[in-house]
Amino acid sequence: GAGAGGVRASCAACRRAGRDPGAVRLLPITKTVPAAILRIAHQAGIDAFGENKVQEAVAKHALLADLPVRWSVVGHLQTNKARFLPRFAAEFHALDSLRLAELLNRLFEEEGRTLDVFVQVNTSGEASKYGLEPSALPAFLDELTRFPALKARGLMTLAVLHPDVARVRPCFERLRLLRDQAQARHPAIAALSMGMSGDFEAAIEEGADVVRVGRSL
């Protein structure tokens, strides 16, 4: 099926890059997929789901609360939706605001929980995309250390949407370079969340640790 094909392609990309396929985590993006289907997916061995609409994720979490599932929020988060995350989220892939960081830290501290976060960087220069400007990243990471409930795990980006991989690849290269630079001061900034169904092979070749896959599954 398409899912098996996507996994095979990711393994092939790992081999080309001289990487262990086990080092790359495929995060299934399950927006619009009903909870009943996710229950079947869990029975088939998928134990992590990524959602970009908080209300939809809250509803699915309630229906699947009996399952040991790790939920990730992968899209831009409005501050008025942040209060829902401590109910279900283990990971957030789109942190690009200190105001949001402060709010999430307070909410998770109140619940005695922590949240893994990826800091989103705008590597394409497109005004339509969220994320920090690369030049703003060092100061942001320094400030992030003030929020103990947020565990910074790495960086995330959305590459330019283009069929020519030569136009896409520089976004991934840029994020890898930014990660390498950041680690000098912040060793925990280790993982790269980059690549989606249309460009994940290039992302893996450029060092992706987490790939968000929806259409490929």
Side-chain angles (χ1 to χ4, degrees):
V7 171
R8 279 196 298 271
S10 71
C11 291
C14 285
R15 283 194 296 273
R16 284 195 299 275
R19 301 182 62 199
D20 175 7
V24 179
R25 173 161 60 103
L26 299 182
L27 176 60
I29 304 304
T30 50
K31 60 182 181 182
T32 76
V33 180
I37 301 298
L38 297 189
R39 185 173 290 276
I40 294 169
H42 184 269
Q43 292 168 355
I46 297 176
D47 60 0
F49 302 128
E51 295 278 337
N52 65 351
K53 288 188 167 51
V54 172
Q55 299 295 96
E56 183 180 341
V58 168
K60 289 177 184 176
H61 173 261
L63 291 169
L64 302 174
D66 57 307
L67 301 181
V69 169
R70 180 176 169 87
W71 295 90
S72 298
V73 175
V74 299
H76 177 70
L77 179 66
Q78 296 173 319
T79 53
N80 64 344
K81 300 287 176 56
R83 69 184 187 278
F84 295 106
L85 262 64
R87 297 187 194 177
F88 72 95
E91 185 175 75
F92 176 45
H93 279 248
L95 183 64
D96 64 356
S97 153
L98 286 175
R99 179 180 172 221
L100 181 58
E102 188 169 16
L103 176 57
L104 286 170
N105 183 71
R106 178 171 58 78
L107 292 167
F108 275 79
E109 278 194 329
E110 287 172 356
E111 296 294 326
R113 295 191 57 215
T114 62
L115 178 69
D116 288 351
V117 298
F118 287 77
V119 175
Q120 184 171 358
V121 183
N122 184 339
T123 56
S124 70
E126 295 171 289
S128 60
K129 285 191 167 62
Y130 291 102
L132 297 170
E133 291 298 315
S135 61
L137 180 62
F140 185 90
L141 293 177
D142 286 347
E143 289 292 309
L144 201 54
T145 61
R146 297 191 291 114
F147 307 119
L150 305 185
K151 303 301 180 184
R153 301 303 186 192
L155 306 179
M156 185 276 268
T157 199
L158 297 171
V160 63
L161 191 62
H162 199 279
D164 182 1
V165 70
R167 295 279 300 276
V168 175
R169 194 179 293 273
C171 296
F172 301 142
E173 293 175 336
R174 195 165 299 132
L175 195 73
R176 176 163 45 84
L177 179 61
L178 290 167
R179 186 274 314 273
D180 293 348
Q181 293 169 343
Q183 279 194 299
R185 282 178 63 83
H186 304 283
I189 302 294
L192 297 174
S193 173
M194 59 189 194
M196 300 188 294
S197 291
D199 56 23
F200 69 89
E201 292 184 59
I204 289 171
E205 290 166 4
E206 295 301 329
D209 299 287
V210 184
V211 176
R212 304 177 300 278
V213 286
R215 286 182 291 117
S216 293
L217 288 177

